[in-house]
Amino acid sequence: MKIAGWTTLIYAVIVFIGGLIGHALSGSMASAIAGIGSSIILLASGIGVLLGKRAAIITALATTLILDAFFCYRFMLSFSFMPAGMMASLSLVTLMIQVAALRTSAGSHHAS
């Protein structure tokens, strides 16, 4: 769970920075709000994952899945790696780590 927690925290920082960069480059307030809002949820979830909270990994997973769907959609519209393709790739890696952590916690939860 620690790897998933740290991965989620790092991903949250990247999402936050990306939202601010999106706002700075295009003036998109929606980008800033979505980036900041998502990063707050991810930061709280990442801390919860580090504390071993199962609900936190589920929240992180759901948030990352939504962001991945959004970035994949944007990538399919633009076929531009930056920023949509890169964020879709980072989201997918983060999802895989979170799913692995969820599966591990489910196995240890049932074994107790």
Side-chain angles (χ1 to χ4, degrees):
M1 289 279 267
K2 290 212 186 274
I3 292 173
W6 285 109
T7 301
T8 301
L9 289 174
I10 292 166
Y11 180 65
V13 171
I14 293 169
V15 168
F16 179 80
I17 292 169
L20 293 181
I21 290 172
H23 174 66
L25 294 179
S26 68
S28 169
M29 186 57 77
S31 179
I33 292 170
I36 293 168
S38 298
S39 66
I40 290 170
I41 294 168
L42 290 165
L43 282 170
S45 298
I47 292 167
V49 172
L50 289 173
L51 295 173
K53 306 292 184 189
R54 185 165 162 75
I57 192 69
I58 293 169
T59 302
L61 185 71
T63 305
T64 305
L65 184 61
I66 291 167
L67 288 171
D68 191 38
F70 172 76
F71 289 121
C72 284
Y73 171 74
R74 294 293 296 261
F75 177 71
M76 293 306 293
L77 291 178
S78 68
F79 290 104
S80 175
F81 185 73
M82 289 300 290
M86 181 193 69
M87 288 305 296
S89 300
L90 287 173
S91 299
L92 182 59
V93 169
T94 303
L95 274 173
M96 291 188 306
I97 292 168
Q98 291 168 341
V99 167
L102 184 63
R103 292 186 63 176
T104 302
S105 74
S108 65
H109 181 65
H110 292 302
S112 304

